[in-house]
Amino acid sequence: MLSRMLLQCLLIGALVLPQPGFSQKKQTWKAVPTTYCNPMNLDYAYVPSRHTYYGQDESHRSTADPVIVNYKGDLFLFSTNQQGYWWSDNHMATWHFVSHNFRINRSNDDVCAPAAWAFGDTMLFMPSHMDYDRIPMYVSTDPKSGKWEALQDSFPQAHNWDPAIFKDDDDSAYLFWGSSNFFPLYGEKLNPGQRYEPTGKVVETLRLHPDTHGWERFGDDNRDSTIMPYTEGSWMTKHNGKYYLQYGAPGTEFNVYADGVYEADQPLGPYTYAPYNPFSLKTGGFATGAGHGSTFQDAFGNYWHVATMLNWIKYKFERRLGVFPAGFDGDQLYTHTAFGDYPHYLPTSARDHRESTFTGWMMLSWNKPCVASSSLPGKPVTQAFDENIRSYWSAETANPGEFVQVDLGQVCTVHALQINYADEDAHLRDKQPGIYHQYRIWMSENGKKWKLLVDKSTNTTDVPHDYVEFIAPAQARYLKLENVHMADGKFAVAGFRVFGKAPGAVPSQVADFQAKREPDTRNVHFSWKPVEGAYAYQIYWGITPDKLHNCLYVTGDAYEYRGLTVGQPYYARIEPLGETGVGAMGEVVAF
């Protein structure tokens, strides 16, 4: 008798089972991509074995609070609880992991929300610590090899959570820190000649004002007024003689987690709130959040902002990382999160990030008809295509041959795929070298005759958010992801995402776009007439008509945003997104 799985495969004409030893004759995807797609495809560690979360038996991956620094043209990425760090020598196309265990703090973190700074031949590094943790500041001149020395046994500043190190042009050094829904962020000067020990008084740099800054309000969509918001994640950038002190708010577990900035003429202030805040915001789409990050320059001098993105399936602090084009428009710091979880071009030279780096490849798989070999109760196959990283489909097993399939509705041009695995029935803890994912992807124009599109059945790397960019675009209506091997747990997918173009004209320009401030002027209500063929819209907004750098990714025909500043005028315009492309931008409206 046929097995239930094989019977279902035959009923839908869904799977051409490969013969033993079958391999793809010609590789169809780029081993070193020229584009990237958030969330970053890193071998994230599982939660530490020393941590417990609501007594759950299952584990999950997580990291947050990223810092990227440029050291001799290579980029080094540090984040929370990874038992090491990554570096890239090809402008973020690929990342290499360096295993290293720093001293564990009393919160049982080997590293939490670290600080790093690179200058000349030297890199400084320091994790968060509290009173009596005895966490040192570290120094390295060979970070690729994992060689670090402690500048002192314990950094003299006893309570230093979410630190940020800053070295000025005159070789003076400063430390900024703080993470609280009561206390402000602080700063102090360091003495490089005395192993960076603190010198001078501690200065209060900034604190939250949610009564006037709407985006600093707590909760999803800034809707929770029962608790004070959190400020954290200091980072300093100097540009054209001005100091930009960045901070995260209102809470890492929310879709509105964002970064704001204060400006000053001196490293320790006094600081003034930037009227264009927040400067890094991503409230909608597949993966949300763009807070507690760092702003850095690549080897070409291009600015970027790396930040924390929300995952929250198993636990509210389950998080990932995203990287976004950034820069300065005059004296305004910006981060472009438009198409923030779609494919973008990687840098090959200096470029103006005020111009889009988006590839133009649209979302083709959202809410499309789909089937699977099996599904756990409560984890239906539709959740692999709902464009929500916080939900997922799971097969009943991790057996080879379990699959998930999508019908794009018509033959489309497919440029890239992203496979976002979920942690269903995972029990690993800590960093896990040697684990890997293996899969095959099949394509068909008619659902009957199938062709192997991607064969990663011999892959030996851990790719929890695998991104596949094709050498040449494929023509397909049906796509099938077939499991070969899971890193841990059952075969589960939070997003099998397909990017490309459908045939036809792009959506028409949006009509009757309106923006009306509410009685609580921290809120604005946007409305418009829906456009045929548009599956979503992007609203660009800012404080001047020519600097609309913030972006809201929304669906439907109305949206309330609750992140404005009292007394600040704004401007906005809207564009429609369809499977055929991006429609024309609408006219600017004031509000």
Side-chain angles (χ1 to χ4, degrees):
M1 181 180 293
L2 290 172
S3 70
R4 179 182 56 78
M5 183 188 300
L6 180 58
L7 179 61
Q8 185 172 2
C9 295
L10 293 173
L11 287 174
I12 63 175
L15 183 60
V16 178
L17 293 175
Q19 297 299 314
F22 177 87
S23 63
Q24 190 167 328
K25 294 181 180 179
K26 183 179 179 181
Q27 185 166 302
T28 58
W29 71 94
K30 297 180 180 180
V32 179
T34 60
T35 61
Y36 70 96
C37 186
N38 290 320
M40 297 175 73
N41 184 32
L42 301 167
D43 51 336
Y44 300 97
Y46 292 84
V47 293
S49 57
R50 302 173 301 278
H51 288 191
T52 58
Y53 295 94
Y54 300 137
Q56 291 184 134
D57 181 42
E58 288 190 59
S59 183
H60 61 270
R61 300 175 188 256
S62 185
T63 196
D65 322 314
V67 172
I68 291 182
V69 294
N70 185 327
Y71 179 76
K72 297 183 177 181
D74 295 329
L75 298 177
F76 285 76
L77 167 58
F78 304 88
S79 62
T80 293
N81 277 329
Q82 296 304 293
Q83 294 175 274
Y85 49 91
W86 297 272
W87 63 274
S88 174
D89 58 357
N90 55 9
H91 316 296
M92 300 184 287
T94 56
W95 292 91
H96 313 278
F97 186 74
V98 178
S99 178
H100 188 88
N101 289 315
F102 295 95
R103 189 177 300 177
I104 294 173
N105 65 24
R106 67 175 179 178
S107 295
N108 284 323
D109 302 301
D110 67 332
V111 162
C112 185
W117 196 264
F119 56 99
D121 292 331
T122 304
M123 186 181 295
L124 299 175
F125 178 79
M126 185 170 67
S128 295
H129 63 270
M130 299 178 70
D131 301 341
Y132 312 116
D133 274 337
R134 299 186 64 81
I135 298 296
M137 180 183 286
Y138 297 90
V139 62
S140 177
T141 56
D142 188 11
K144 288 183 182 179
S145 68
K147 296 178 181 178
W148 294 86
E149 294 180 2
L151 284 173
Q152 67 286 103
D153 181 66
S154 179
F155 188 74
Q157 176 56 259
H159 191 124
N160 199 291
W161 207 258
D162 283 18
I165 303 166
F166 171 67
K167 287 270 287 186
D168 209 343
D169 303 330
D170 61 1
D171 199 43
S172 61
Y174 300 84
L175 189 72
F176 301 90
W177 74 93
S179 177
S180 173
N181 67 341
F182 180 79
F183 295 105
L185 299 186
Y186 300 100
E188 65 182 339
K189 193 171 184 178
L190 305 179
N191 188 340
Q194 296 295 324
R195 298 184 177 182
Y196 292 89
E197 292 188 357
T199 179
K201 66 177 182 178
V202 173
V203 175
E204 178 181 323
T205 59
L206 65 91
R207 61 172 65 235
L208 299 185
H209 297 278
D211 54 329
T212 55
H213 307 155
W215 74 275
E216 294 177 350
R217 288 180 286 183
F218 205 61
D220 270 335
D221 297 315
N222 306 114
R223 290 185 179 276
D224 188 348
S225 60
T226 63
I227 188 171
M228 289 296 294
Y230 283 79
T231 182
E232 54 196 354
S234 299
W235 182 259
M236 175 65 80
T237 301
K238 185 179 182 181
H239 179 73
N240 286 346
K242 182 178 285 189
Y243 299 86
Y244 294 80
L245 180 57
Q246 299 144 59
Y247 67 103
T252 188
E253 65 268 43
F254 303 122
N255 69 317
V256 291
Y257 196 38
D259 279 340
V261 60
Y262 277 67
E263 302 170 350
D265 295 325
Q266 300 293 331
L268 293 177
Y271 278 93
T272 302
Y273 183 78
Y276 51 82
N277 273 314
F279 79 92
S280 176
L281 173 76
K282 189 179 184 302
T283 62
F286 176 70
T288 60
H292 193 143
S294 62
T295 303
F296 64 96
Q297 289 180 279
D298 62 25
F300 305 117
N302 304 309
Y303 278 101
W304 299 83
H305 191 70
V306 63
T308 304
M309 305 189 80
L310 177 63
N311 202 53
W312 193 353
I313 295 176
K314 303 295 183 182
Y315 182 61
K316 66 180 180 179
F317 291 158
E318 182 180 357
R319 297 160 292 178
R320 299 292 190 267
L321 304 183
V323 65
F324 308 95
F328 290 89
D329 191 347
D331 60 357
Q332 177 176 331
L333 174 61
Y334 67 83
T335 298
H336 276 175
T337 61
F339 299 103
D341 46 35
Y342 283 42
H344 284 250
Y345 290 109
L346 287 163
T348 57
S349 63
R351 62 191 189 186
D352 188 346
H353 277 167
R354 291 174 296 181
E355 303 296 327
S356 177
T357 62
F358 174 48
T359 59
W361 304 340
M362 309 307 293
M363 168 53 55
L364 301 177
S365 51
W366 189 359
N367 289 336
K368 292 299 180 67
C370 49
V371 294
S373 53
S374 65
S375 296
L376 283 180
K379 305 297 179 185
V381 64
T382 53
Q383 292 186 167
F385 303 98
D386 64 359
E387 277 297 279
N388 182 1
I389 198 172
R390 293 170 65 173
S391 65
Y392 65 95
W393 160 80
S394 177
E396 293 178 349
T397 74
N399 294 340
E402 293 270 25
F403 72 88
V404 59
Q405 174 184 307
V406 64
D407 175 3
L408 303 181
Q410 59 183 324
V411 175
C412 297
T413 302
V414 178
H415 287 270
L417 303 167
Q418 188 187 46
I419 299 96
N420 298 272
Y421 287 99
D423 297 319
E424 173 61 34
D425 197 29
H427 298 278
L428 295 176
R429 294 279 184 150
D430 303 300
K431 194 71 177 184
Q432 293 292 330
I435 63 174
Y436 55 93
H437 301 84
Q438 294 175 339
Y439 62 85
R440 299 184 184 95
I441 295 176
W442 303 80
M443 69 175 185
S444 173
E445 293 187 11
N446 57 16
K448 297 178 181 179
K449 185 178 180 180
W450 292 82
K451 179 181 178 180
L452 186 63
L453 179 60
V454 177
D455 185 3
K456 290 199 175 185
S457 60
T458 59
N459 175 59
T460 57
T461 57
D462 184 16
V463 287
H465 298 277
D466 206 18
Y467 174 65
V468 180
E469 176 190 349
F470 296 122
I471 296 171
Q475 299 296 314
R477 172 175 173 173
Y478 299 89
L479 290 162
K480 180 191 310 296
L481 171 63
E482 174 205 351
N483 182 52
V484 176
H485 176 82
M486 279 292 291
D488 190 33
K490 294 179 170 62
F491 182 44
V493 176
F496 179 24
R497 309 177 72 213
V498 182
F499 298 101
K501 287 284 186 72
V506 301
S508 60
Q509 188 178 62
V510 176
D512 198 25
F513 177 56
Q514 299 182 38
K516 296 182 179 180
R517 297 287 277 268
E518 298 178 0
D520 181 345
T521 59
R522 295 173 296 178
N523 308 337
V524 59
H525 184 267
F526 296 108
S527 63
W528 57 92
K529 289 184 178 179
V531 174
E532 184 177 357
Y535 60 72
Y537 304 84
Q538 291 191 137
I539 300 171
Y540 297 83
W541 60 280
I543 62 171
T544 59
D546 61 337
K547 296 182 180 180
L548 306 180
H549 293 301
N550 276 329
C551 183
L552 303 169
Y553 182 98
V554 300
T555 58
D557 57 5
Y559 181 75
E560 182 189 47
Y561 177 59
R562 299 168 57 84
L564 305 182
T565 296
V566 173
Q568 175 64 54
Y570 292 93
Y571 301 85
R573 61 195 312 192
I574 191 171
E575 67 182 5
L577 313 183
E579 295 180 0
T580 55
V582 182
M585 190 81 73
E587 297 297 320
V588 174
V589 300
F591 56 98

